[in-house]
Amino acid sequence: MLDPLLLARIQFAATTVFHFFFVPITIGMVFLIAIFESIYVKTGDEHYKRITKFFGHLFLINFAVGVVTGILQEFQFGMNWSEYSSFVGDVFGPSLAIEALLAFYLESTFIGIWIFSWDKINKKLHAMCIWLVSIGTIMSAFWILSANSFMQHPVGVKYVDNGIIGKKAEMIDFFAIVKNPYLWNQFPHILATSLTVGGFVIAGIAAWKIVRGHEVSIFRKAFKVSIVGALIGSSALLVTGHSQAQYLVREYPMKIAAAEAMYEDSGNVAAFSVLAKIDQKQQKTEEIIEIPGMLSFLAYNKFEGSLKGMHTLQKEMDEKYYPIIGKHLNYIPNVHVMYYTFRIMGASGGLLFLMALLGTIFSFRKNEIKKRWFLKIMPWMLLIAEIATACGWIMAEMGRQPFIIFGVMPTETGVSSNSGAAVLFSLAVFCILYTVLGVAQYVLFRHMMKKKETTVREVA
């Protein structure tokens, strides 16, 4: 129970998933706030100015908590993953430095200007500040993802002593890391996720205010813009998710095989498993509900085409990586986790698209006020969106196992030489801190949302 490797992995998973709760909200929310202010500048409609300020306060709360959770996350590299940090430090250094010195400074600087310069500088210049903040959040995501993408698909490096584990990776081509194909499959999907989550945050809060009769005319406008953003984001989410799945079929077939609990090779017409009984010990899957040909369509855009099962892929990967790693490994990830997170993620994405589509239709028909059942559901959609994003990350990271750097460094070789008790203590401390931060954000959001008409007028 005090296995340092297991506890270190649990800690990294907990802190990463918790931190990522705030990242898409930040990226998506500030983008929509910039749109609100641009509409105000273009039309002179004071309602959009008041909307901008109201949601700007909520954005600042989320941004502050997100920064703190990100800082806590970085401590883990030195505490629990020192061998990994030493191995990959020269590669991650430029990406993380650019993220901190360019993207984060851009965000922080112009957030300050934006907060304190209302009605003190030209309106267009003021709106430009929040757009620069939005650009900064997108750039920050790009450089962080460039580091993560290297873990999934290492490129642009050479390995000292032919890559023997315990040595060091040295960067030889910075632009290869920037052009990493995994990055350019992942980055659009993250942007779509962020717009979806940010849209549902604002639409959910606006719906909550409308139901309670707080400044209905103002929050209807906020709802309309944000729900359209959520529809665009969720539509892009489905498209980029499909594209990403096809990329995984080509480059990382074990992830897809595990996500389908497919131990044996499929036939020429591969069925998509909707529900199955999985026996991971016996390595058998009993299909309960399946859609014939759908997996082939997801993989190849046609209703035929076979996929390799995990048994075949295990043999192929062992033959490929044994000369590099120097030992035999089990390349089959946790099938239960992969199977169910994939389905939760997919079902949640479909539900988000459906709700965004309904909300857009209701809003443009100007009858969303009459759909009180719908407005009452909307605040809960943020929870669905966050579950979907968490499952997406869990699937991506669990599917990379047993590697911390795919094909190069097994996870077990990257952990620090800590005692299990030490890691357990830090895990407990981190969980307590994150709980406090989560409760604090909830209380502050709730406090802002409960204020009635005076809330919007005060911040104006």
Side-chain angles (χ1 to χ4, degrees), residues 4 60 111 222 263 305:
L60 292 173
I111 279 179
Y263 286 100

Side-chain angles (χ1 to χ4, degrees), residues 200-387:
F200 274 106
V201 169
I202 295 178
I205 294 172
W208 193 91
K209 300 288 278 187
I210 292 169
V211 168
R212 284 153 183 77
H214 300 174
E215 294 281 353
V216 173
S217 60
I218 292 178
F219 286 105
R220 285 185 72 181
K221 293 180 178 180
F223 179 84
K224 185 174 185 178
V225 173
S226 58
I227 200 64
V228 170
L231 177 60
I232 295 171
S234 57
S235 300
L237 197 62
L238 298 179
V239 174
T240 57
H242 180 57
S243 175
Q244 196 172 37
Q246 292 185 328
Y247 173 76
L248 294 179
V249 169
R250 297 191 304 270
E251 301 294 334
Y252 305 96
M254 181 64 86
K255 284 189 179 184
I256 296 298
E260 284 299 306
M262 189 170 64
Y263 286 100
E264 305 297 336
D265 297 355
S266 72
N268 190 47
V269 179
F272 176 80
S273 171
V274 178
L275 183 64
K277 182 180 179 181
I278 304 169
D279 188 337
Q280 197 162 335
K281 291 184 178 180
Q282 298 296 323
Q283 296 192 339
K284 294 181 180 179
T285 301
E286 180 183 343
E287 302 294 344
I288 299 175
I289 303 174
E290 62 181 12
I291 304 175
M294 183 55 67
L295 183 58
S296 294
F297 178 80
L298 293 175
Y300 307 114
N301 287 332
K302 57 183 181 180
F303 291 99
E304 61 179 6
S306 61
L307 288 88
K308 295 179 180 179
M310 286 181 280
H311 288 158
T312 299
L313 293 169
Q314 167 67 28
K315 294 178 182 178
E316 292 181 355
M317 293 179 73
D318 191 47
E319 292 176 359
K320 180 178 180 179
Y321 295 115
Y322 178 78
I324 301 173
I325 306 303
K327 59 181 176 180
H328 299 287
L329 297 175
N330 178 17
Y331 296 98
I332 298 177
N334 188 307
V335 178
H336 283 99
V337 171
M338 295 291 290
Y339 183 86
Y340 289 110
T341 53
F342 182 56
R343 273 137 195 82
I344 294 171
M345 178 185 65
S348 299
L351 179 60
L352 292 172
F353 171 76
L354 177 62
M355 292 296 289
L357 179 61
L358 286 175
T360 301
I361 293 172
F362 294 154
S363 183
F364 275 87
R365 288 182 176 177
K366 299 182 179 180
N367 64 351
E368 73 276 12
I369 294 180
K370 298 178 182 179
K371 310 293 183 180
R372 293 182 65 85
W373 62 270
F374 180 82
L375 295 175
K376 290 180 180 179
I377 293 174
M378 280 301 299
W380 293 100
M381 295 311 298
L382 172 59
L383 178 61
I384 301 298
E386 293 288 24
I387 290 173

Side-chain angles (χ1 to χ4, degrees), residues 139-153:
M139 290 173 59
S140 181
F142 177 84
W143 291 111
I144 293 298
L145 288 174
S146 71
N148 178 263
S149 295
F150 177 83
M151 298 168 66
Q152 305 279 355
H153 184 71

Side-chain angles (χ1 to χ4, degrees), residues 46-62:
E46 289 290 323
H47 283 181
Y48 284 101
K49 179 181 179 181
R50 293 158 70 180
I51 291 169
T52 300
K53 288 192 171 184
F54 177 78
F55 286 105
H57 277 63
L58 298 179
F59 161 71
L60 292 173
I61 294 169
N62 184 83

Side-chain angles (χ1 to χ4, degrees), residues 26-35 59 103 106-107 110-111 127-141 191:
T26 295
I27 298 172
M29 203 172 179
V30 72
F31 179 78
L32 291 170
I33 290 170
I35 290 177
F59 161 71
L106 184 67
E107 298 169 51
F110 285 97
I111 279 179
M128 183 186 71
C129 291
I130 197 64
W131 276 111
L132 288 172
V133 174
S134 179
I135 292 170
T137 62
I138 294 171
M139 290 173 59
S140 181
L191 292 184

